[in-house]
Amino acid sequence: MPYTFQSETSDIVEVKKSKINKAGKGLFAKANIKRGDHICMYFGVLVYKDQVHNGYYESDYLLEQVGHDYIIDAADPKSCLGRYANDSLSMLKSNTVFGYYKDPYGGYLKATKAIKKGEEIYVSYGKVYWEDAKDKGSKSYTSLPKKDKDFINNEL
């Protein structure tokens, strides 16, 4: 499979234990970040969209851009820093969105509001991610506390 890999270091973000219970690692601001700033990349293995949509490939780190033949899988911990951004399950807490590069094909995180040094970086995984996780009984859904499952179920 094609692979886009970027050994990434950053002066503005770092990986630490997430503030979200049982989430594992999270992405945190090492410096103040302004609204609109590029934060970090989201690169990884490029998987054919048909493989994923037909159930031949699974990962909790898939990023899909509408109209593109590939989906990015950042499951490899060395693929990029963007893979550590968690979904806060709250649109009020989300402080980034995914964006896309055209060449090389990949993604990135962009700040949607000012983020202070020390704050965790949150991005919405989107409705499709949580519908799929719920339907497949994925650990990303089943390990959530009841209040978070209730939030997701009300959003779906």
Side-chain angles (χ1 to χ4, degrees):
M1 280 182 231
Y3 189 77
T4 307
F5 178 80
Q6 178 67 36
S7 179
E8 187 178 17
T9 59
S10 175
D11 292 332
I12 63 169
V13 292
E14 63 186 334
V15 177
K16 300 190 309 188
K17 185 178 181 338
S18 177
K19 294 178 182 176
I20 299 173
N21 189 29
K22 297 183 182 179
K25 296 178 180 178
L27 192 64
F28 290 81
K30 283 173 42 177
N32 290 331
I33 300 170
K34 291 183 266 177
R35 182 176 188 255
D37 281 358
H38 174 278
I39 296 173
C40 63
M41 294 178 266
Y42 198 97
F43 281 158
V45 175
L46 299 180
V47 182
Y48 284 112
K49 188 181 288 190
D50 289 345
Q51 287 180 299
V52 175
H53 290 273
N54 292 318
Y56 297 111
Y57 192 93
E58 275 189 47
S59 173
D60 283 338
Y61 296 88
L62 298 175
L63 179 61
E64 179 176 357
Q65 181 182 16
V66 175
H68 204 281
D69 292 336
Y70 293 103
I71 295 175
I72 301 163
D73 179 12
D76 185 329
K78 295 179 182 175
S79 60
C80 62
L81 291 171
R83 73 180 298 282
Y84 293 100
N86 288 309
D87 187 328
S88 69
L89 302 178
S90 165
M91 291 311 291
L92 294 175
K93 287 185 181 179
S94 289
N95 50 21
T96 64
V97 292
F98 288 110
Y100 301 92
Y101 299 115
K102 291 182 182 175
D103 188 25
Y105 179 60
Y108 60 90
L109 291 172
K110 176 179 153 182
T112 56
K113 55 178 95 170
I115 303 168
K116 294 179 183 170
K117 180 179 179 177
E119 287 184 9
E120 189 162 1
I121 308 293
Y122 296 120
V123 63
S124 173
Y125 293 169
K127 183 177 179 178
V128 171
Y129 173 88
W130 290 112
E131 283 175 342
D132 191 50
K134 181 181 177 185
D135 291 345
K136 292 179 179 173
S138 173
K139 184 180 177 190
S140 62
Y141 177 79
T142 59
S143 66
L144 291 172
K146 183 181 180 323
K147 68 177 180 70
D148 292 340
K149 287 180 187 172
D150 290 344
F151 176 83
I152 291 168
N153 294 335
N154 289 329
E155 294 294 308
L156 297 181

